Amino acid sequence: MRGIDAVMGRLDDAARDELAALYRDLHQHPEPAFEEKRTAGIAADRLREAGFEVRTGIGGTGVAGVLRNGEGPTVALRADMDALPVLERTGLPYASTNDGLMHACGHDMHVACLTGAAHLLSAGRDQWAGTLVALFQPAEEIAAGAQAMVDDGLFDLTGRLSVVLGQHVLPRPASTVFIRPGEILGAADSMEIRLYGRGGHSSQPERTVDPVVLAAAIVMRLQTVVSREVSPFERAVLTVAQIHAGHKENVIADEASITLNIRTFSPEVRRTLLAAIERVVNAEAAASGAPRPPSFHTLNAFPLTANDPGATADVTDAFTTRFGAARVADLAPMMGSEDFGVFGTAAGVPSVFWGLGGIDPSQYARAEREGRLAEDVPGNHSPFFAPLISPTLPMGVEALVTGALTWLSR
């Protein structure tokens, strides 16, 4: 691949140290969905320093930088910015200073990697031709940020894209990238269901319709949906994550609410699960004598994430050439979800998404050997999730640069 050595040669020790400091700063200052003002400001400033045309406030707090460098393809690189409502328990010296918020999914790593790649590609403009677009997206965790940026006129700034590329740090061995064509991340739907009962004194249950008992019946019945209504050859998950009801131990509440989440890889299975949820909830409410039907409220919906086969083959070949076959592994499909694919779908262009290992390889190998991966290797969304800064950060920068130059250096 023409020019990559010249571009990556600028990632010297000083540049690595500066990016590591940026990562630690971002990790210390997490911000929730659509409130990533500080993070967005840092990203915008770094892009301006690198000579990008920058627009802020896209879809709320989104940032887009455009660097035009002659005739050629337009390649978009994307990083998400939002943190999670998780109390950090890593004990790191650069742990979150915002109580109850944590970059438990690695979006701080994504931002730092894209910032580094943007600077290297800008400094190495003599090695490529085309247009580079850097997207810093808000609100990935609630499946809203990508669509918000698109709806707010993102493509008016970027023009027609040729491809969209992105990556996600994973609890896998560092110094390795993980990629595959086709479906890689499941679709996800989350909803809140409000159940209506008739409250009263706990000593007189016969005068009430207890929504707690109703909620319990629904939770138990929903456990059979995947096991009895979905083929064992399909993949699906249904999780009831929250139950809320009541305020006093001697009062039967009027209402209860449950929140649940489903994960699917097939539109048909998704329809089956959604229909079954509505059927079970309504039937149990009727069986309990509820005074009114339950209400259903959609919280978020993530689309299926699928890599374009042709574009993925090109990126995989570039990774293999750059890193060697031993550092490029298959990315097994996961039930986790992303809204990254919204950009490529909305633009009508291919998209490619890959995994970036972030765990000490010896720690991972030991845990795998002892059958303790779940216990000893904290995953995304864990309060203990802490990717290694090095080599994860420089590897992530190099992966983005390699992916971009797969098109821009042609």
Side-chain angles (χ1 to χ4, degrees):
M1 181 186 300
R2 183 174 68 86
I4 190 167
D5 288 332
V7 173
M8 289 305 306
R10 293 178 169 87
L11 189 63
D12 56 18
D13 289 343
R16 288 170 182 251
D17 290 344
E18 193 278 331
L19 279 177
L22 171 63
Y23 168 75
R24 288 190 290 268
D25 177 74
L26 293 170
H27 189 85
Q28 283 186 302
H29 299 95
E31 297 171 298
F34 287 128
E35 296 180 29
E36 310 94 338
K37 295 179 181 178
R38 182 181 186 274
T39 307
I42 291 171
D45 288 344
R46 297 299 177 99
L47 289 177
R48 291 189 188 99
E49 291 170 4
F52 283 71
E53 174 191 353
V54 178
R55 179 179 160 192
T56 61
I58 308 174
T61 48
V63 176
V66 179
L67 185 64
R68 307 183 197 281
N69 190 34
E71 296 295 322
T74 298
V75 176
L77 304 178
R78 173 269 203 175
D80 39 12
M81 301 186 292
D82 54 326
L84 285 160
V86 172
L87 180 63
E88 182 162 357
R89 298 176 63 189
T90 62
L92 291 167
Y94 53 89
S96 171
T97 58
N98 296 344
D99 287 345
L101 280 175
M102 178 190 173
H103 270 299
C105 203
H107 296 185
D108 46 352
M109 182 65 71
H110 305 164
V111 171
C113 287
L114 180 51
T115 299
H119 270 262
L120 290 178
L121 287 163
S122 176
R125 274 174 281 187
D126 57 330
Q127 302 296 320
W128 57 271
T131 298
L132 176 66
V133 177
L135 302 176
F136 292 89
Q137 178 209 311
E140 182 277 331
E141 294 292 354
I142 61 172
Q147 192 62 54
M149 291 185 75
V150 170
D151 292 343
D152 201 19
L154 171 65
F155 300 140
D156 294 338
L157 172 69
T158 65
R160 177 166 175 77
L161 304 179
S162 303
V163 67
V164 186
L165 308 176
Q167 63 185 4
H168 202 298
V169 64
L170 298 175
R172 301 287 190 276
S175 294
T176 303
V177 289
F178 300 81
I179 190 169
R180 67 174 289 139
E183 299 170 349
I184 55 169
L185 296 172
D189 295 87
S190 297
M191 69 177 71
E192 180 186 39
I193 303 171
R194 188 159 292 279
L195 307 170
Y196 303 99
R198 185 168 58 246
H201 201 289
S202 63
S203 67
Q204 298 176 317
E206 76 281 2
R207 298 171 62 88
T208 72
V209 174
D210 192 337
V212 174
V213 175
L214 169 56
I218 288 171
V219 171
M220 294 307 297
R221 183 61 182 267
L222 287 177
Q223 304 310 304
T224 68
V225 170
V226 172
S227 65
R228 288 297 176 266
E229 299 189 40
V230 176
S231 166
F233 297 102
E234 297 283 359
R235 291 167 289 187
V237 176
L238 192 162
T239 299
V240 178
Q242 293 177 301
I243 303 178
H244 297 284
H247 301 284
K248 190 74 167 64
E249 74 283 353
N250 63 347
V251 177
I252 293 174
D254 279 316
E255 298 182 4
S257 68
I258 63 176
T259 61
L260 57 82
N261 174 266
I262 66 169
R263 308 275 173 155
T264 58
F265 273 92
S266 157
E268 293 76 16
V269 172
R270 177 178 180 267
R271 286 192 291 269
T272 295
L273 263 62
L274 291 175
I277 290 166
E278 185 171 356
R279 186 190 73 240
V280 166
V281 170
N282 284 324
E284 291 291 352
S288 296
R292 55 184 285 202
S295 61
F296 298 79
H297 173 62
T298 298
L299 299 175
N300 56 62
F302 288 85
L304 184 71
T305 301
N307 280 340
D308 178 83
T312 302
D314 290 342
V315 173
T316 303
D317 288 345
F319 282 169
T320 303
T321 299
R322 183 65 187 173
F323 302 127
R327 296 171 65 193
V328 181
D330 182 66
L331 178 63
M334 298 179 289
M335 277 297 184
S337 301
E338 259 279 354
D339 65 352
F340 163 79
V342 167
F343 292 112
T345 299
V349 301
S351 61
V352 183
F353 196 64
W354 61 84
L356 174 68
I359 303 299
D360 183 295
S362 60
Q363 175 191 350
Y364 188 93
R366 182 174 60 254
E368 187 175 39
R369 185 171 59 252
E370 296 174 357
R372 291 183 53 85
L373 282 175
E375 295 86 355
D376 296 345
V377 180
N380 303 90
H381 293 211
S382 164
F384 298 100
F385 185 64
L388 286 177
I389 296 178
S390 181
T392 308
L393 180 51
M395 182 74 173
V397 171
E398 191 166 0
L400 289 174
V401 169
T402 302
L405 290 179
T406 304
W407 278 265
L408 295 175
S409 67
R410 288 178 174 174

